[in-house]
Amino acid sequence: MENGVYYGDGYSGDGGYMEQEEEWEREGLLDPAWEKQQKKTFTAWCNSHLRKAGTAIENIEDDFRNGLKLMLLLEVISGETLPKPDRGKMRFHKIANVNKALDFIASKGVKLVSIGAEEIVDGNLKMTLGMIWTIILRFAIQDISVEEMTAKEGLLLWCQRKTAPYKNVNVQNFHLSFKDGLAFCALIHRHRPDLIDYSKLSKDNPLENLNTAFDVAEKYLDIPRMLDPDDLQNTAMPDERAVMTYVSSYYHCFSGAQKAETAANRICKVLKVNQENERLMEEYERLASDLLEWIRRTMPWLNSRQTDNSLAGVQKKLEEYRTYRRKHKPPRVEQKAKLETNFNTLQTKLRLSNRPAYMPTEGKTVSDISNAWKGLEKAEKAFEEWLLAETMRLERLEHLAQKFKHKADTHEDWTRGKEEMLQSQDFRQCRLNELKALKKKHEAFESDLAAHQDRVEQIAAIAQELNTLEYHDCMSVNSRCQRICDQWDRLGALTQRRRQALDEAERILEKIDILHLEFAKRAAPFNNWLDGTREDLVDMFIVHTMEEIQGLIQAHDQFKATLGEADKEYNLIVGLVREVEAIVKQHQIPGGLENPYTTLTASDLTRKWSDVRGLVPQRDQTLANELRKQQNNEMLRRQFAEKANAVGPWIERQMDAVTAIGMGLQGSLEDQLHRLREYEQAVYAYKPHIEELEKIHQAVQESMIFENRYTHYTMETLRVGWEQLLTSINRNVNEVENQILTRDSKGITQEQLNEFRSSFNHFDKNRSCRLAPDELKSCLVSLGYSIGKDRQGEMDFQRIMAVVDPNSTGYVTFDAFLDFMTRESTDTDTAEQVIDSFRILASDKPYILPDELRRELPPDQAEYCIQRMPAFKGPGAAPGALDYMSFSTALYGESDL
């Protein structure tokens, strides 16, 4: 305080006691009763100190006139020694002593105005009271300070806080607020509830309240009666100085309790930080366990390759996988992002509160979760690829099985009755021409048999492929194939034996019917051609591309171009039959219409030829339908590609923008957070494009489309990109929020933060958001650190590395760098501060008792300490003593609980 004292409601500067008194008197504010109250209060106040020196005063205006007791009072309250007093009784001796006292007061920075030694020696009551008030202000009130307020304001705020919970107490000043005595009683009860039962007091009994407070204060607190209850009640406005003087005695009496309360508040604040950190750790452990357990349960399903080997079964599994991607996985993606956000927030809070970093239990670190997640995504990709491959394989199996059945049915129809025919002895009753006819007929059959060789081989080849592809009904396929092959071998043997028999009879039968033979020769291959053509026209096919169906259409068009030649051959063969019919009719040859060389007739060929001509347009329609299907597939490819080629670059642009913001290159932290929130909203607004793409992708898969030459994006890459974008936004939002938290809690300015970020980014050349040791050293030098190149400089730098990289990863993140820089320029709570606070609660003992903790701290925090504090093992400890020192260091990671 400079050159002045506090008077009344405020700081008076160069003004004096008398000047203020005169001003109040001019304005009609001076109450005559105030002087009486001040005299009584100031006298009691002086005696409360003089009794320590074994003396007292009775009349304040007389007993200080010689200056001796005035000098003694100053020595007692200041603890200093004043100059030796003059012992003479003359007036000038008294004036000299009073001047020594006034000079001592002035030496304490108090400027006395209008108060002279002569007035004190002459017994001027007003001047004497003004002098004592100046002493009270300087030595009893001036040092009172609450939250950096002035002495009077600080004392008033102290009273307000202490009495706030009490009914009928509202301290607004030092006169009317104390008239009913409840404020005095509340101050005593707040600090010593055992002395007063506040619940029995009434606002309607002010004299009783005042007497109760003054009696208790005098008897139990050693605070003398400085006020008269009757004076306070009979005065419209009690004297403010008198009340302030008395209240200041309460303040000094309870100052020890005030220290204990401050210590308790500091401990509560530290414990709340620890309790909140423990809650976050438990929440992290719970979320991590739940997510890892879900991944553990999901992996066997994704790794399973069990199937019933049917197309329907695999398609059902594919639909289950789509349901998993749409419904079951998205909440887990959000859970993983929340887990990482909570972990970063927890680590930031631990750093800001000067606590050791949190290390999750084994197997539950962020890297463990990340590795498990990567394994899940790898399993998902392999599972989907296997499902699609199985779909293609089983589709081909179904096609091959149908083709096998069709060819086997056709072959078995052809062989029906052939064994009986070959075993027949009909030729032994034939005439010569009939025998020759039978021989020619057998030759035609041999030709037909040879033509069917390819069909048997095709049936066997299809059966072999079905076995290779592990068709589920291979047993019946193999059984049928074996029956066909066995029958084929028997037909070959029977054919050989019958030919030998006919050759034996040929030596006898020679005549041949040339015309019938010509018909047989031409009819047999044409009939085979008709059978093969008909088989080709009804043959089933499977294609996956436009090129394949166009190839089939082109081949069919080439076939149709040969129909003209086939029609000529048909007319020629039918012409042979007509010629035979004309000869038979002309010459009336019995049995001449029967062709001994073939069982084929013109009506057979006509029927088959008509059948072939009817199958051609049907084949046209089948190919046209398949062409439309492939055109639709092509349209789906283009739809997916068009959408994917828009979504993919959009995701990449958003990722680049978010990364740029995360580098801290765009405005203040609030600006960065605002922009990240805008990107977050934009990303969620863009989600319908992803959902639309998923629908197109499902249609593509359901149409059995397995490749797309119009885009290099796949649904899997877009899904991963989308999830990475969401994760990147959440991570950057969390990092910026933590930086804001760091900045605000540590009191660093935005300019400092920008300087730290700019320096960090400058040396982060590859934009990886972390610095190598050499880069960190250069960054620190750029910020003004002097790191020498000698051995001492290297030791200093290694100490810094131990702080910013406690796990020895070989790199430093921006969060760790920022935490280090803020700690370099700001203060944080320490274990020493907490130990000092506990020492106050323990009354300077090296240990603390459970009852002391329960008395000074809230119940939950008291029990928190009692459960965790180790027993005190030093000498002279009371039963149940607890070691608060090791507990405090453990809170900051300097020892183990």
Side-chain angles (χ1 to χ4, degrees):
M1 186 182 302
E2 296 180 359
N3 300 328
V5 296
Y6 284 107
Y7 290 98
D9 291 327
Y11 181 59
S12 183
D14 292 333
Y17 174 84
M18 291 300 296
E19 292 176 351
Q20 184 144 24
E21 290 277 276
E22 292 170 359
E23 180 182 348
W24 285 352
E25 190 171 10
R26 285 194 304 272
E27 296 179 1
L29 300 177
L30 189 62
D31 190 330
W34 288 0
E35 186 174 281
K36 177 183 176 183
Q37 293 175 14
Q38 289 180 20
K39 180 177 179 180
K40 185 179 296 184
T41 300
F42 291 176
T43 298
W45 183 86
C46 291
N47 285 335
S48 69
H49 294 286
L50 286 172
R51 66 184 177 183
K52 299 173 185 177
T55 187
I57 62 171
E58 294 181 1
N59 194 319
I60 196 168
E61 67 264 37
D62 292 333
D63 292 351
F64 286 137
R65 292 177 65 177
N66 62 6
L68 296 176
K69 289 189 176 180
L70 179 60
M71 294 178 68
L72 183 60
L73 173 66
L74 291 172
E75 286 184 340
V76 171
I77 62 178
S78 69
E80 301 180 25
T81 302
L82 271 68
K84 187 175 182 180
D86 292 355
R87 290 297 177 181
K89 296 183 179 180
M90 302 297 292
R91 176 180 174 81
F92 73 88
H93 292 127
K94 298 177 181 179
I95 292 174
N97 289 336
V98 173
N99 273 325
K100 291 177 182 178
L102 295 179
D103 290 343
F104 178 79
I105 296 172
S107 71
K108 298 302 179 182
V110 180
K111 186 176 182 181
L112 297 170
V113 180
S114 302
I115 297 178
E118 291 82 0
E119 287 85 353
I120 306 301
V121 172
D122 292 339
N124 187 314
L125 179 60
K126 284 188 177 182
M127 290 299 178
T128 302
L129 291 176
M131 177 189 67
I132 297 302
W133 174 243
T134 299
I135 294 171
I136 292 172
L137 276 175
R138 173 60 184 83
F139 294 100
I141 297 178
Q142 178 180 320
D143 290 337
I144 297 174
S145 178
V146 180
E147 294 187 356
E148 301 181 358
M149 293 186 170
T150 63
K152 177 183 175 182
E153 291 171 337
L155 185 60
L156 186 63
L157 179 59
W158 178 80
C159 293
Q160 290 171 343
R161 286 182 173 174
K162 296 300 179 182
T163 61
Y166 291 88
K167 183 179 179 181
N168 295 326
V169 178
N170 183 18
V171 177
Q172 298 296 326
N173 50 57
F174 285 111
H175 36 76
L176 297 179
S177 297
F178 286 86
K179 280 193 70 173
D180 59 11
L182 289 178
F184 292 116
C185 292
L187 287 173
I188 296 173
H189 184 270
R190 179 63 182 269
H191 296 91
R192 291 290 304 276
D194 55 311
L195 298 179
I196 292 180
D197 187 353
Y198 187 84
S199 63
K200 294 183 178 180
L201 302 179
S202 171
K203 190 175 182 67
D204 298 330
N205 299 317
L207 285 175
E208 181 181 339
N209 299 337
L210 290 167
N211 279 313
T212 297
F214 296 166
D215 289 344
V216 169
E218 186 172 37
K219 182 176 181 180
Y220 296 103
L221 304 178
D222 199 27
I223 299 176
R225 275 178 172 260
M226 299 183 187
L227 299 174
D228 189 302
D230 292 327
D231 290 343
L232 291 177
Q233 284 298 299
N234 297 331
T235 307
M237 181 182 292
D239 180 57
E240 187 177 55
R241 297 189 186 95
V243 175
M244 281 181 65
T245 300
Y246 187 51
V247 171
S248 69
S249 298
Y250 280 69
Y251 178 88
H252 290 294
C253 175
F254 296 133
S255 61
Q258 181 72 20
K259 291 180 180 178
E261 182 177 351
T262 301
N265 289 337
R266 181 182 297 119
I267 291 171
C268 287
K269 180 180 178 182
V270 171
L271 294 180
K272 283 180 180 178
V273 170
N274 264 60
Q275 289 172 315
E276 173 63 14
N277 290 341
E278 288 179 6
R279 186 191 67 77
L280 289 175
M281 292 176 191
E282 292 172 359
E283 175 71 5
Y284 174 86
E285 291 285 338
R286 184 185 65 78
L287 287 176
S289 297
D290 181 61
L291 182 59
L292 289 171
E293 174 61 19
W294 176 79
I295 292 174
R296 186 192 66 76
R297 294 195 312 268
T298 304
M299 287 297 287
W301 175 65
L302 292 174
N303 291 329
S304 173
R305 298 297 184 264
Q306 296 297 322
T307 176
D308 60 1
N309 213 23
S310 69
L311 184 60
V314 173
Q315 288 175 336
K316 180 181 178 182
K317 276 186 173 289
L318 186 58
E319 184 57 34
E320 290 174 353
Y321 177 71
R322 294 190 185 116
T323 301
Y324 159 80
R325 288 306 303 247
R326 287 195 307 267
K327 295 182 179 179
H328 300 302
K329 189 183 179 187
R332 298 298 178 171
V333 174
E334 295 176 5
Q335 183 179 2
K336 177 175 175 289
K338 180 181 179 182
L339 195 65
E340 294 174 352
T341 298
N342 288 358
F343 181 80
N344 292 336
T345 299
L346 172 61
Q347 298 293 42
T348 298
K349 287 186 175 182
L350 290 172
R351 288 197 307 271
L352 296 180
S353 58
N354 201 24
R355 303 306 196 271
Y358 165 58
M359 180 58 66
T361 56
E362 185 176 357
K364 296 180 184 178
T365 66
V366 173
S367 62
D368 291 329
I369 293 171
S370 178
N371 291 334
W373 190 263
K374 289 178 182 177
L376 178 74
E377 291 178 332
K378 183 178 180 181
E380 286 174 351
K381 185 174 185 297
F383 187 54
E384 185 173 19
E385 290 175 351
W386 172 75
L387 285 173
L388 295 177
E390 275 294 283
T391 301
M392 293 178 65
R393 183 181 74 83
L394 292 172
E395 183 189 30
R396 174 161 179 77
L397 271 179
E398 291 293 333
H399 170 71
L400 286 174
Q402 291 295 324
K403 191 168 185 177
F404 174 83
K405 181 179 181 302
H406 174 71
K407 287 187 176 294
D409 288 346
T410 302
H411 176 76
E412 288 173 347
D413 285 343
W414 178 83
T415 60
R416 190 172 294 111
K418 294 294 191 293
E419 290 188 65
E420 293 79 1
M421 180 270 291
L422 291 173
Q423 292 171 345
S424 172
Q425 299 294 315
D426 55 347
F427 63 91
R428 298 193 182 277
Q429 305 298 326
C430 292
R431 295 170 295 182
L432 178 61
N433 61 326
E434 292 172 343
L435 179 60
K436 289 186 177 183
L438 282 178
K439 185 178 179 181
K440 295 300 181 182
K441 182 179 179 180
H442 187 71
E443 291 175 353
F445 174 76
E446 286 181 324
S447 176
D448 201 7
L449 186 66
H452 274 271
Q453 178 72 31
D454 287 342
R455 294 174 186 171
V456 176
E457 292 175 353
Q458 288 177 11
I459 291 172
I462 294 173
Q464 179 60 39
E465 189 169 1
L466 286 171
N467 277 274
T468 302
L469 296 177
E470 299 178 354
Y471 181 58
H472 66 90
D473 196 17
C474 279
M475 185 177 295
S476 62
V477 168
N478 293 338
S479 177
R480 189 172 186 184
C481 181
Q482 188 62 46
R483 288 199 306 272
I484 290 173
C485 291
D486 291 345
Q487 185 189 43
W488 184 255
D489 292 339
R490 291 196 303 273
L491 287 175
L494 291 171
T495 300
Q496 185 65 27
R497 287 199 297 270
R498 184 173 177 82
R499 180 173 182 82
Q500 291 172 356
L502 289 173
D503 286 343
E504 182 67 22
E506 187 181 15
R507 292 192 297 271
I508 305 169
L509 304 174
E510 294 178 351
K511 190 175 180 178
I512 185 170
D513 189 335
I514 299 301
L515 200 56
H516 279 309
L517 181 59
E518 181 68 16
F519 173 84
K521 287 181 178 179
R522 287 187 175 273
F526 187 67
N527 180 65
N528 286 334
W529 178 84
L530 287 174
D531 288 343
T533 297
R534 184 180 183 283
E535 204 170 314
D536 290 340
L537 288 173
V538 298
D539 189 24
M540 291 176 288
F541 58 85
I542 180 171
V543 296
H544 292 101
T545 65
M546 284 290 293
E547 289 77 8
E548 291 176 351
I549 186 60
Q550 287 170 349
L552 290 177
I553 292 174
Q554 183 178 3
H556 185 60
D557 289 341
Q558 292 173 354
F559 159 74
K560 288 192 292 184
T562 66
L563 290 179
E565 291 298 324
D567 188 56
K568 291 179 181 178
E569 181 67 13
Y570 166 74
N571 289 328
L572 179 60
I573 294 173
V574 172
L576 291 174
V577 175
R578 289 172 183 164
E579 187 177 353
V580 168
E581 289 174 348
I583 295 173
V584 168
K585 184 179 180 180
Q586 180 181 358
H587 299 284
Q588 297 295 313
I589 301 174
L593 292 178
E594 295 181 6
N595 192 326
Y597 305 112
T598 180
T599 58
L600 292 174
T601 65
S603 61
D604 291 336
L605 297 180
T606 299
R607 176 177 54 78
K608 290 185 178 182
W609 176 242
S610 298
D611 193 15
V612 167
R613 292 173 66 86
L615 288 173
V616 169
Q618 293 179 19
R619 185 71 167 184
D620 288 337
Q621 185 61 44
T622 300
L623 293 172
N625 291 340
E626 183 62 30
L627 178 61
R628 284 193 294 275
K629 175 184 174 183
Q630 291 304 322
Q631 288 172 337
N632 181 67
N633 289 355
E634 193 73 359
M635 179 189 70
L636 285 175
R637 290 188 183 94
R638 292 180 182 275
Q639 283 182 347
F640 180 85
E642 181 181 359
K643 193 69 179 177
N645 290 339
V647 171
W650 187 88
I651 291 176
E652 292 163 2
R653 290 195 301 273
Q654 305 309 301
M655 184 67 77
D656 292 342
V658 169
T659 301
I661 295 175
M663 295 296 296
L665 304 175
Q666 303 181 8
S668 67
L669 289 176
E670 284 74 13
D671 293 338
Q672 295 172 30
L673 184 59
H674 177 68
R675 296 204 62 192
L676 285 171
R677 292 297 187 194
E678 288 181 339
Y679 274 106
E680 183 178 34
Q681 293 176 1
V683 168
Y684 280 113
Y686 199 75
K687 189 175 182 181
H689 293 281
I690 300 294
E691 294 171 347
E692 181 183 353
L693 202 55
E694 286 282 7
K695 292 179 181 178
I696 299 174
H697 177 62
Q698 180 173 343
V700 166
Q701 286 191 333
E702 290 173 350
S703 298
M704 301 295 178
I705 300 172
F706 304 109
E707 51 79 31
N708 194 337
R709 62 179 178 276
Y710 300 112
T711 181
H712 66 278
Y713 292 104
T714 65
M715 196 65 235
E716 178 64 26
T717 59
L718 294 176
R719 286 183 193 133
V720 172
W722 177 259
E723 293 171 0
Q724 288 177 346
L725 176 58
L726 290 175
T727 301
S728 178
I729 291 176
N730 287 330
R731 185 180 297 115
N732 279 285
V733 166
N734 180 246
E735 289 178 356
V736 173
E737 288 176 340
N738 287 340
Q739 291 174 25
I740 292 175
L741 182 62
T742 300
R743 181 196 66 193
D744 295 343
S745 63
K746 297 299 185 179
I748 62 174
T749 65
Q750 183 65 45
E751 289 73 19
Q752 287 176 304
L753 189 60
N754 291 342
E755 181 182 6
F756 298 156
R757 169 59 83 177
S758 175
S759 298
F760 187 91
N761 287 348
H762 177 77
F763 294 98
D764 181 16
K765 302 298 185 183
N766 58 0
R767 296 295 182 260
S768 63
C769 295
R770 58 191 192 184
L771 299 180
D774 290 343
E775 294 171 332
L776 175 66
K777 184 181 293 185
S778 300
C779 183
L780 292 174
V781 171
S782 72
L783 290 169
Y785 275 77
S786 177
I787 302 176
K789 295 184 178 180
D790 55 3
R791 183 172 178 272
Q792 183 61 44
E794 183 59 28
M795 292 174 61
D796 292 341
F797 181 69
Q798 290 305 319
R799 280 195 294 270
I800 294 175
M801 281 300 297
V803 173
V804 298
D805 183 21
N807 297 325
S808 301
T809 59
Y811 58 83
V812 181
T813 65
F814 180 70
D815 281 349
F817 171 73
L818 178 60
D819 182 57
F820 172 75
M821 295 305 300
T822 53
R823 276 189 290 165
E824 288 293 300
S825 55
T826 59
D827 294 327
T828 60
D829 59 331
T830 63
E832 289 74 16
Q833 291 177 341
V834 178
I835 291 173
D836 290 341
S837 299
F838 275 118
R839 184 178 289 112
I840 291 173
L841 300 187
S843 302
D844 289 329
K845 299 191 300 294
Y847 59 85
I848 193 166
L849 298 175
D851 288 343
E852 292 173 326
L853 288 170
R854 292 190 177 102
R855 183 177 67 245
E856 300 293 348
L857 299 178
D860 62 326
Q861 296 192 341
E863 296 305 319
Y864 180 87
C865 293
I866 293 170
Q867 292 173 9
R868 288 166 172 77
M869 277 189 186
F872 181 77
K873 298 180 180 179
L882 300 174
D883 184 357
Y884 61 78
M885 293 187 184
S886 62
F887 172 78
S888 300
T889 56
L891 289 177
Y892 293 84
E894 298 174 16
S895 66
D896 294 328
L897 276 177

